[in-house]
Each structure stands twice: as structure tokens, then as C-alpha cells.
Amino acid sequence: MNRYQIVLLCLIICLSWMKPTFSQDKPVKITLLGSLQSQNKAYKADNAIGFGVGANMTFVLFKHFDYSLKVHSDYLTLSQNNVLDEWEWDYWQDTYIDFLPGTKPEIVNKTLSYTSTDSIYSATFHPTQRLKELRLSTGFDYHFPIYKNFAFYAGFDGGISLFTRQLHIEENWTKRFKLDSLSSGKFDYNYEYDLLHFAPPKKGTKLFIAPHVGIKFLLNNSLDFTGGVQYLQYINQDKLFGIKLSEHGNKWFPVKAKILLMFGLVFKY
């Protein structure tokens, strides 16, 4: 018997000793969650990956059926080639590029580089884009025991995301000098320096719906471990119950949908 078989045998023996107690549900549960996230397909951003943390307060309505109030904070890093064209950053487009003779915004935005006509100055530009969300939602879960201390659950949430989309650009500049008059080259010394520019953030609101499934494992009568998958779909809607939301949501939100791998602890009261 190899070590993997021994570990599996020990796990089966431990599970066989545990008593199924999921039917003895507590009326109130607090869940602390972490998540790994990724958009399901490219939209404005080519890639969008990140993480999140959150908390759920759950109330038992009746056997196997719960109602939850949820607050989550998500953080995504976005990779997008055309972000400088999309951002509509007046300072960058109309003012900053004017200080760089011999080029145009559309050239710099595409190449992310610049060299002056006399070759004295050159630069490379590295935009970094992030998306922060505060998600407020409510929903229902259905759960039932499947084996010993394991229970399956499935649910559906709906809510609103308050988002902030951020952009900054790191610029790596080189200035060249002719210091040695006896040198045969055009330049013999390079001075390098870095700059950091922050664009005005894009803010707004976005509605979403989010079905999810997962498994809970009973640790003791007051604590469960939970893990699951959630599909979060954003909705192109600018009103909620007749109340007008931010008009910037549909224009500036860079993700259509994302998948969350969730894990956490459930405290039962």
C-alpha cells in the first residue's frame, strides 16, 4: 500500500466516524468569503483577473432554504491594448503629447513608445489598469445533505456594483548627452529617469445577477467550511425599481461577466 492509498484510507475512516448534523441548522449564519476571479471572455479588456473578499448574513426561512444579505469587495487587474484610446483622457491626448514634438497621440497610444526627431529623448509607456468593486446583493440558497458531513447548495443572487476603474502610466525616459568631445559616437552618456501619471478614474454603477453552486463541510456544530463556483453576469440596465443609476456604468464598465472560485467559513448562531 503506497502513501496515497494510506492517506485515502485514513480520510475514509475519519469521514465514517462523523455524524450527519446538517439537518440541525442554526437560524442565523455569518459567512466570511474569499474568492479568485477571472472574466469569462474578452470584452474591453483582453484579460481581467483578481481576487475578492466578502461577508454574507444568512437567515433560515425554512428547512433547506435560506435568505442572504451580502457585501463583497472585488479587485481586478486588467490587460487592455487600446486603453489609452478608450479612456478619453484630455490631459494626455490634448496637452501632454503636445510636449513631444514629432508624434501624435494615436501613434504613442498604439506603439507605447516615443523617440524625438533628434534622438536625444526616448521613452516607453506602461499603462496599468485596475477595477475595484463594492458589490451589494441579496439572494436565496437551497441546501441539503449529500453524505455524512457534506452538503450541497445552489442559489441565486442579484444586486448592484459600485465600481471605480483606475489607470496610471509608468514612463521610462532616456536623455542622451555628448560629454566627451573626443568620442566618435553621436552620444556617449545616457541619463534615465521614470515618471508616473495618474488618469482621472471612471466611476459608476452596474447591476448584476449571480447563480452559484457549492459544497459545505461540517467542522463542528458552530462552524462549516464552504467552497463553490459563482457565475456573475452584469446587466446593461440604467434603472433599478424606477430609480436612475449612474449613466457611466454601461460606457465605462470593462467586464461583461466573470467566474468566481469561492471559499470561506460559515459561523452558525
Side-chain angles (χ1 to χ4, degrees):
M1 182 178 290
N2 61 37
R3 59 181 180 177
Y4 300 107
Q5 291 172 324
I6 294 173
V7 171
L8 180 59
L9 179 60
C10 292
L11 180 59
I12 293 173
I13 293 173
C14 290
L15 291 174
S16 67
W17 287 347
M18 297 177 179
K19 298 180 180 180
T21 57
F22 270 109
S23 59
Q24 303 171 4
D25 218 351
K26 301 294 181 68
V28 179
K29 291 172 282 188
I30 302 293
T31 304
L32 301 181
L33 285 168
S35 65
L36 301 176
Q37 309 179 8
S38 174
Q39 70 174 0
N40 66 326
K41 63 179 180 181
Y43 176 44
K44 292 184 178 181
D46 301 310
N47 293 291
I49 56 174
F51 62 92
V53 294
N56 305 342
M57 176 173 285
T58 302
F59 307 92
V60 176
L61 295 181
F62 47 86
K63 188 177 180 180
H64 303 316
F65 201 74
D66 297 340
Y67 169 72
S68 297
L69 298 172
K70 306 181 179 183
V71 56
H72 289 251
S73 178
D74 297 346
Y75 184 94
L76 294 179
T77 298
L78 311 179
S79 175
Q80 181 180 351
N81 291 330
N82 67 335
V83 62
L84 291 174
D85 289 325
E86 185 205 349
W87 205 268
E88 299 179 5
W89 184 5
D90 291 340
Y91 171 74
W92 178 265
Q93 299 285 122
D94 303 331
T95 304
Y96 189 74
I97 303 301
D98 285 346
F99 287 105
L100 311 180
T103 192
K104 296 180 179 180
E106 53 268 26
I107 296 175
V108 174
N109 292 354
K110 182 178 180 179
T111 64
L112 297 178
S113 63
Y114 168 74
T115 300
S116 62
T117 52
D118 55 12
S119 299
I120 293 178
Y121 293 95
S122 65
T124 56
F125 306 95
H126 308 279
T128 298
Q129 188 182 179
R130 295 185 175 93
L131 176 68
K132 297 179 180 179
E133 292 182 77
L134 177 63
R135 291 191 289 110
L136 308 174
S137 62
T138 186
F140 298 91
D141 288 340
Y142 178 76
H143 61 89
F144 58 90
I146 52 175
Y147 178 77
K148 297 295 184 181
N149 287 60
F150 289 92
F152 171 83
Y153 69 88
F156 188 88
D157 300 335
I160 187 170
S161 170
L162 313 177
F163 73 86
T164 300
R165 187 177 171 192
Q166 300 173 323
L167 172 68
H168 72 263
I169 301 178
E170 181 181 352
E171 305 177 29
N172 306 127
W173 282 89
T174 299
K175 183 177 181 180
R176 299 169 180 84
F177 296 88
K178 174 72 171 182
L179 299 180
D180 186 355
S181 59
L182 300 179
S183 173
S184 58
K186 184 177 180 180
F187 304 108
D188 52 40
Y189 177 75
N190 292 340
Y191 175 71
E192 297 180 351
Y193 55 99
D194 299 330
L195 294 175
L196 197 60
H197 272 128
F198 291 88
K202 308 297 185 184
K203 297 182 178 182
T205 55
K206 196 75 172 173
L207 299 177
F208 66 87
I209 55 174
H212 56 268
V213 296
I215 292 178
K216 291 181 182 179
F217 174 70
L218 175 71
L219 299 177
N220 55 53
N221 285 336
S222 299
L223 187 65
D224 297 340
F225 175 81
T226 181
V229 177
Q230 184 174 57
Y231 178 82
L232 196 151
Q233 176 70 53
Y234 295 97
I235 302 172
N236 291 331
Q237 181 70 32
D238 59 0
K239 289 185 178 181
L240 178 62
F241 302 121
I243 301 174
K244 187 172 179 59
L245 303 174
S246 168
E247 60 184 12
H248 301 297
N250 292 337
K251 180 177 182 180
W252 295 117
F253 198 77
V255 176
K256 275 192 173 181
K258 62 183 179 181
I259 298 173
L260 294 79
L261 179 63
M262 303 180 298
F263 46 88
L265 294 174
V266 182
F267 299 88
K268 299 177 287 186
Y269 299 94

